[in-house]
Amino acid sequence: GAVVSQHPSWVICKSGTSVKIECRSLDFQATTMFWYRQFPKQSLMLMATSNEGSKATYEQGVEKDKFLINHASLTLSTLTVTSAHPEDSSFYICSARPPLALTYEQYFGPGTRLTVT
Amino acid sequence: DAKTTQPNSMESNEEEPVHLPCNHSTISGTDYIHWYRQLPSQGPEYVIHGLTSNVNNRMASLAIAEDRKSSTLILHRATLRDAAVYYCILRDPIAYSGAGSYQLTFGKGTKLSVIP
């Protein structure tokens, strides 16, 4: 099956710094990638939809200036958490949809656990 | 999106079949039923999807009620590796356009525990 990787798998940063998370589709090209956030014992919440070569579409309540998304190629999307604060500590997960996927079949990365101290 | 209702948790003995229910009484005629699962500390994994007919794949079977108001994900022989949160998600590919038509909305799902 299609493989999506994320890097890093976990990161600890100090409050006020920025962190970049990479999402790669390893064996297929993804025109659309999605970024989710998951707090402990909660479900996944969609943050934004990332389209290659265009601006990301953010869900209501997600600050686009704080969570910068770049989808510069068909295999790479990045999420940068700027000026991170402890409340940004969460599990960040990306997903990608193969261009010929049936309906809503998506492939998810393994997630990145961000801890802001 | 139509709402789904799943039990918060279920238990199963290892190597026994598991039936995970999902109620979706407000499902529309063009809503597809999708199942994903999330193992601890991992991203979700696609399991199966269907529209009207029952579906089988190497991971599981999906049984869809004739009126489509409910469905059941069937794991034929539960293993310890099947312990996960299982999400039942409805989505209508016709109702939305562009990249937004492929978004998935995750509910709370069912946490499946497998007892050795």
Side-chain angles (χ1 to χ4, degrees), chain A residues 2-24:
Chain A
V3 179
V4 175
S5 70
Q6 279 184 244
H7 178 80
S9 55
W10 59 270
V11 57
I12 301 172
C13 71
K14 292 187 177 181
S15 186
T17 61
S18 296
V19 175
K20 180 185 284 188
I21 301 170
E22 293 185 348
C23 176
R24 293 181 185 273

PDB file of all heavy atoms in Angstrom, chain A residues 2-24:
ATOM      1  N   ALA A   2       0.182   2.383  -0.209  1.00  0.00           N
ATOM      2  CA  ALA A   2       0.871   3.656  -0.245  1.00  0.00           C
ATOM      3  C   ALA A   2       1.463   3.994   1.122  1.00  0.00           C
ATOM      4  O   ALA A   2       0.874   3.703   2.152  1.00  0.00           O
ATOM      5  CB  ALA A   2      -0.105   4.742  -0.668  1.00  0.00           C
ATOM      6  N   VAL A   3       2.641   4.617   1.100  1.00  0.00           N
ATOM      7  CA  VAL A   3       3.346   4.927   2.341  1.00  0.00           C
ATOM      8  C   VAL A   3       3.542   6.423   2.475  1.00  0.00           C
ATOM      9  O   VAL A   3       3.953   7.110   1.532  1.00  0.00           O
ATOM     10  CB  VAL A   3       4.721   4.227   2.385  1.00  0.00           C
ATOM     11  CG1 VAL A   3       5.460   4.588   3.669  1.00  0.00           C
ATOM     12  CG2 VAL A   3       4.552   2.714   2.274  1.00  0.00           C
ATOM     13  N   VAL A   4       3.234   6.905   3.671  1.00  0.00           N
ATOM     14  CA  VAL A   4       3.441   8.305   4.004  1.00  0.00           C
ATOM     15  C   VAL A   4       4.351   8.369   5.222  1.00  0.00           C
ATOM     16  O   VAL A   4       4.120   7.672   6.210  1.00  0.00           O
ATOM     17  CB  VAL A   4       2.092   9.002   4.311  1.00  0.00           C
ATOM     18  CG1 VAL A   4       2.329  10.435   4.781  1.00  0.00           C
ATOM     19  CG2 VAL A   4       1.206   8.985   3.072  1.00  0.00           C
ATOM     20  N   SER A   5       5.380   9.187   5.124  1.00  0.00           N
ATOM     21  CA  SER A   5       6.298   9.309   6.253  1.00  0.00           C
ATOM     22  C   SER A   5       6.219  10.702   6.841  1.00  0.00           C
ATOM     23  O   SER A   5       5.793  11.663   6.175  1.00  0.00           O
ATOM     24  CB  SER A   5       7.742   9.023   5.808  1.00  0.00           C
ATOM     25  OG  SER A   5       8.220  10.070   4.985  1.00  0.00           O
ATOM     26  N   GLN A   6       6.608  10.816   8.092  1.00  0.00           N
ATOM     27  CA  GLN A   6       6.691  12.102   8.764  1.00  0.00           C
ATOM     28  C   GLN A   6       8.021  12.198   9.483  1.00  0.00           C
ATOM     29  O   GLN A   6       8.545  11.216   9.992  1.00  0.00           O
ATOM     30  CB  GLN A   6       5.558  12.263   9.799  1.00  0.00           C
ATOM     31  CG  GLN A   6       4.243  12.683   9.214  1.00  0.00           C
ATOM     32  CD  GLN A   6       3.182  12.933  10.262  1.00  0.00           C
ATOM     33  OE1 GLN A   6       2.171  12.242  10.309  1.00  0.00           O
ATOM     34  NE2 GLN A   6       3.400  13.937  11.119  1.00  0.00           N
ATOM     35  N   HIS A   7       8.516  13.436   9.515  1.00  0.00           N
ATOM     36  CA  HIS A   7       9.776  13.663  10.216  1.00  0.00           C
ATOM     37  C   HIS A   7       9.756  15.032  10.873  1.00  0.00           C
ATOM     38  O   HIS A   7       9.329  16.007  10.237  1.00  0.00           O
ATOM     39  CB  HIS A   7      10.955  13.600   9.234  1.00  0.00           C
ATOM     40  CG  HIS A   7      12.263  13.861   9.890  1.00  0.00           C
ATOM     41  ND1 HIS A   7      12.961  12.908  10.611  1.00  0.00           N
ATOM     42  CD2 HIS A   7      13.014  14.999   9.982  1.00  0.00           C
ATOM     43  CE1 HIS A   7      14.062  13.428  11.089  1.00  0.00           C
ATOM     44  NE2 HIS A   7      14.125  14.690  10.719  1.00  0.00           N
ATOM     45  N   PRO A   8      10.115  15.128  12.132  1.00  0.00           N
ATOM     46  CA  PRO A   8      10.575  14.035  12.990  1.00  0.00           C
ATOM     47  C   PRO A   8       9.393  13.257  13.573  1.00  0.00           C
ATOM     48  O   PRO A   8       8.252  13.671  13.434  1.00  0.00           O
ATOM     49  CB  PRO A   8      11.343  14.776  14.084  1.00  0.00           C
ATOM     50  CG  PRO A   8      10.605  16.078  14.209  1.00  0.00           C
ATOM     51  CD  PRO A   8      10.162  16.428  12.809  1.00  0.00           C
ATOM     52  N   SER A   9       9.663  12.163  14.230  1.00  0.00           N
ATOM     53  CA  SER A   9       8.591  11.405  14.874  1.00  0.00           C
ATOM     54  C   SER A   9       8.225  12.034  16.212  1.00  0.00           C
ATOM     55  O   SER A   9       7.094  11.884  16.685  1.00  0.00           O
ATOM     56  CB  SER A   9       8.999   9.946  15.072  1.00  0.00           C
ATOM     57  OG  SER A   9      10.218   9.878  15.796  1.00  0.00           O
ATOM     58  N   TRP A  10       9.194  12.706  16.818  1.00  0.00           N
ATOM     59  CA  TRP A  10       8.901  13.450  18.034  1.00  0.00           C
ATOM     60  C   TRP A  10       9.887  14.614  18.139  1.00  0.00           C
ATOM     61  O   TRP A  10      10.998  14.549  17.618  1.00  0.00           O
ATOM     62  CB  TRP A  10       8.976  12.571  19.278  1.00  0.00           C
ATOM     63  CG  TRP A  10      10.293  11.930  19.513  1.00  0.00           C
ATOM     64  CD1 TRP A  10      10.717  10.727  19.055  1.00  0.00           C
ATOM     65  CD2 TRP A  10      11.400  12.486  20.253  1.00  0.00           C
ATOM     66  NE1 TRP A  10      12.012  10.485  19.460  1.00  0.00           N
ATOM     67  CE2 TRP A  10      12.446  11.548  20.204  1.00  0.00           C
ATOM     68  CE3 TRP A  10      11.599  13.683  20.962  1.00  0.00           C
ATOM     69  CZ2 TRP A  10      13.668  11.775  20.818  1.00  0.00           C
ATOM     70  CZ3 TRP A  10      12.811  13.885  21.587  1.00  0.00           C
ATOM     71  CH2 TRP A  10      13.842  12.943  21.510  1.00  0.00           C
ATOM     72  N   VAL A  11       9.452  15.664  18.779  1.00  0.00           N
ATOM     73  CA  VAL A  11      10.311  16.837  18.940  1.00  0.00           C
ATOM     74  C   VAL A  11       9.925  17.572  20.219  1.00  0.00           C
ATOM     75  O   VAL A  11       8.735  17.673  20.546  1.00  0.00           O
ATOM     76  CB  VAL A  11      10.230  17.766  17.710  1.00  0.00           C
ATOM     77  CG1 VAL A  11       8.805  18.217  17.444  1.00  0.00           C
ATOM     78  CG2 VAL A  11      11.160  18.958  17.849  1.00  0.00           C
ATOM     79  N   ILE A  12      10.943  18.036  20.908  1.00  0.00           N
ATOM     80  CA  ILE A  12      10.754  18.862  22.098  1.00  0.00           C
ATOM     81  C   ILE A  12      11.370  20.224  21.811  1.00  0.00           C
ATOM     82  O   ILE A  12      12.522  20.290  21.369  1.00  0.00           O
ATOM     83  CB  ILE A  12      11.410  18.232  23.341  1.00  0.00           C
ATOM     84  CG1 ILE A  12      10.836  16.844  23.608  1.00  0.00           C
ATOM     85  CG2 ILE A  12      11.213  19.132  24.573  1.00  0.00           C
ATOM     86  CD1 ILE A  12      11.557  16.079  24.708  1.00  0.00           C
ATOM     87  N   CYS A  13      10.621  21.278  22.024  1.00  0.00           N
ATOM     88  CA  CYS A  13      11.168  22.607  21.766  1.00  0.00           C
ATOM     89  C   CYS A  13      10.781  23.548  22.899  1.00  0.00           C
ATOM     90  O   CYS A  13       9.862  23.275  23.676  1.00  0.00           O
ATOM     91  CB  CYS A  13      10.675  23.145  20.431  1.00  0.00           C
ATOM     92  SG  CYS A  13       8.938  23.601  20.396  1.00  0.00           S
ATOM     93  N   LYS A  14      11.491  24.657  22.956  1.00  0.00           N
ATOM     94  CA  LYS A  14      11.212  25.647  23.985  1.00  0.00           C
ATOM     95  C   LYS A  14      10.148  26.614  23.499  1.00  0.00           C
ATOM     96  O   LYS A  14      10.012  26.888  22.301  1.00  0.00           O
ATOM     97  CB  LYS A  14      12.490  26.404  24.349  1.00  0.00           C
ATOM     98  CG  LYS A  14      13.518  25.536  25.057  1.00  0.00           C
ATOM     99  CD  LYS A  14      14.690  26.365  25.535  1.00  0.00           C
ATOM    100  CE  LYS A  14      15.683  25.502  26.317  1.00  0.00           C
ATOM    101  NZ  LYS A  14      16.830  26.289  26.822  1.00  0.00           N
ATOM    102  N   SER A  15       9.409  27.122  24.444  1.00  0.00           N
ATOM    103  CA  SER A  15       8.356  28.078  24.131  1.00  0.00           C
ATOM    104  C   SER A  15       8.935  29.279  23.381  1.00  0.00           C
ATOM    105  O   SER A  15       9.998  29.798  23.734  1.00  0.00           O
ATOM    106  CB  SER A  15       7.698  28.544  25.434  1.00  0.00           C
ATOM    107  OG  SER A  15       6.595  29.353  25.167  1.00  0.00           O
ATOM    108  N   GLY A  16       8.259  29.677  22.322  1.00  0.00           N
ATOM    109  CA  GLY A  16       8.697  30.812  21.529  1.00  0.00           C
ATOM    110  C   GLY A  16       9.474  30.446  20.290  1.00  0.00           C
ATOM    111  O   GLY A  16       9.673  31.289  19.404  1.00  0.00           O
ATOM    112  N   THR A  17       9.915  29.222  20.194  1.00  0.00           N
ATOM    113  CA  THR A  17      10.663  28.784  19.008  1.00  0.00           C
ATOM    114  C   THR A  17       9.711  28.210  17.972  1.00  0.00           C
ATOM    115  O   THR A  17       8.532  27.986  18.246  1.00  0.00           O
ATOM    116  CB  THR A  17      11.725  27.747  19.381  1.00  0.00           C
ATOM    117  OG1 THR A  17      11.074  26.597  19.941  1.00  0.00           O
ATOM    118  CG2 THR A  17      12.701  28.300  20.400  1.00  0.00           C
ATOM    119  N   SER A  18      10.249  27.963  16.777  1.00  0.00           N
ATOM    120  CA  SER A  18       9.443  27.396  15.685  1.00  0.00           C
ATOM    121  C   SER A  18       9.891  25.982  15.383  1.00  0.00           C
ATOM    122  O   SER A  18      11.058  25.635  15.540  1.00  0.00           O
ATOM    123  CB  SER A  18       9.574  28.266  14.435  1.00  0.00           C
ATOM    124  OG  SER A  18       9.040  29.552  14.666  1.00  0.00           O
ATOM    125  N   VAL A  19       8.972  25.174  14.953  1.00  0.00           N
ATOM    126  CA  VAL A  19       9.245  23.774  14.646  1.00  0.00           C
ATOM    127  C   VAL A  19       8.656  23.425  13.290  1.00  0.00           C
ATOM    128  O   VAL A  19       7.507  23.786  13.014  1.00  0.00           O
ATOM    129  CB  VAL A  19       8.610  22.846  15.713  1.00  0.00           C
ATOM    130  CG1 VAL A  19       8.782  21.394  15.328  1.00  0.00           C
ATOM    131  CG2 VAL A  19       9.228  23.107  17.079  1.00  0.00           C
ATOM    132  N   LYS A  20       9.435  22.733  12.474  1.00  0.00           N
ATOM    133  CA  LYS A  20       8.954  22.317  11.158  1.00  0.00           C
ATOM    134  C   LYS A  20       8.767  20.813  11.130  1.00  0.00           C
ATOM    135  O   LYS A  20       9.648  20.053  11.541  1.00  0.00           O
ATOM    136  CB  LYS A  20       9.931  22.715  10.062  1.00  0.00           C
ATOM    137  CG  LYS A  20       9.472  22.298   8.648  1.00  0.00           C
ATOM    138  CD  LYS A  20      10.505  22.585   7.588  1.00  0.00           C
ATOM    139  CE  LYS A  20      10.555  24.043   7.239  1.00  0.00           C
ATOM    140  NZ  LYS A  20      11.434  24.304   6.072  1.00  0.00           N
ATOM    141  N   ILE A  21       7.618  20.378  10.632  1.00  0.00           N
ATOM    142  CA  ILE A  21       7.306  18.959  10.502  1.00  0.00           C
ATOM    143  C   ILE A  21       7.129  18.652   9.020  1.00  0.00           C
ATOM    144  O   ILE A  21       6.409  19.361   8.313  1.00  0.00           O
ATOM    145  CB  ILE A  21       6.017  18.603  11.266  1.00  0.00           C
ATOM    146  CG1 ILE A  21       6.166  18.959  12.754  1.00  0.00           C
ATOM    147  CG2 ILE A  21       5.689  17.124  11.103  1.00  0.00           C
ATOM    148  CD1 ILE A  21       4.862  18.864  13.527  1.00  0.00           C
ATOM    149  N   GLU A  22       7.788  17.596   8.555  1.00  0.00           N
ATOM    150  CA  GLU A  22       7.707  17.222   7.146  1.00  0.00           C
ATOM    151  C   GLU A  22       6.785  16.014   6.953  1.00  0.00           C
ATOM    152  O   GLU A  22       6.772  15.101   7.767  1.00  0.00           O
ATOM    153  CB  GLU A  22       9.088  16.868   6.593  1.00  0.00           C
ATOM    154  CG  GLU A  22      10.043  18.027   6.510  1.00  0.00           C
ATOM    155  CD  GLU A  22      11.347  17.625   5.841  1.00  0.00           C
ATOM    156  OE1 GLU A  22      11.580  16.417   5.660  1.00  0.00           O
ATOM    157  OE2 GLU A  22      12.133  18.521   5.513  1.00  0.00           O
ATOM    158  N   CYS A  23       6.061  16.040   5.862  1.00  0.00           N
ATOM    159  CA  CYS A  23       5.190  14.930   5.484  1.00  0.00           C
ATOM    160  C   CYS A  23       5.513  14.564   4.045  1.00  0.00           C
ATOM    161  O   CYS A  23       5.431  15.412   3.153  1.00  0.00           O
ATOM    162  CB  CYS A  23       3.726  15.343   5.618  1.00  0.00           C
ATOM    163  SG  CYS A  23       2.536  14.096   5.076  1.00  0.00           S
ATOM    164  N   ARG A  24       5.879  13.308   3.820  1.00  0.00           N
ATOM    165  CA  ARG A  24       6.257  12.869   2.483  1.00  0.00           C
ATOM    166  C   ARG A  24       5.442  11.659   2.044  1.00  0.00           C
ATOM    167  O   ARG A  24       5.244  10.725   2.820  1.00  0.00           O
ATOM    168  CB  ARG A  24       7.735  12.489   2.429  1.00  0.00           C
ATOM    169  CG  ARG A  24       8.695  13.631   2.622  1.00  0.00           C
ATOM    170  CD  ARG A  24      10.140  13.167   2.518  1.00  0.00           C
ATOM    171  NE  ARG A  24      11.068  14.257   2.824  1.00  0.00           N
ATOM    172  CZ  ARG A  24      11.512  15.119   1.942  1.00  0.00           C
ATOM    173  NH1 ARG A  24      11.145  15.022   0.674  1.00  0.00           N
ATOM    174  NH2 ARG A  24      12.342  16.082   2.292  1.00  0.00           N
TER     175      ARG A  24
END
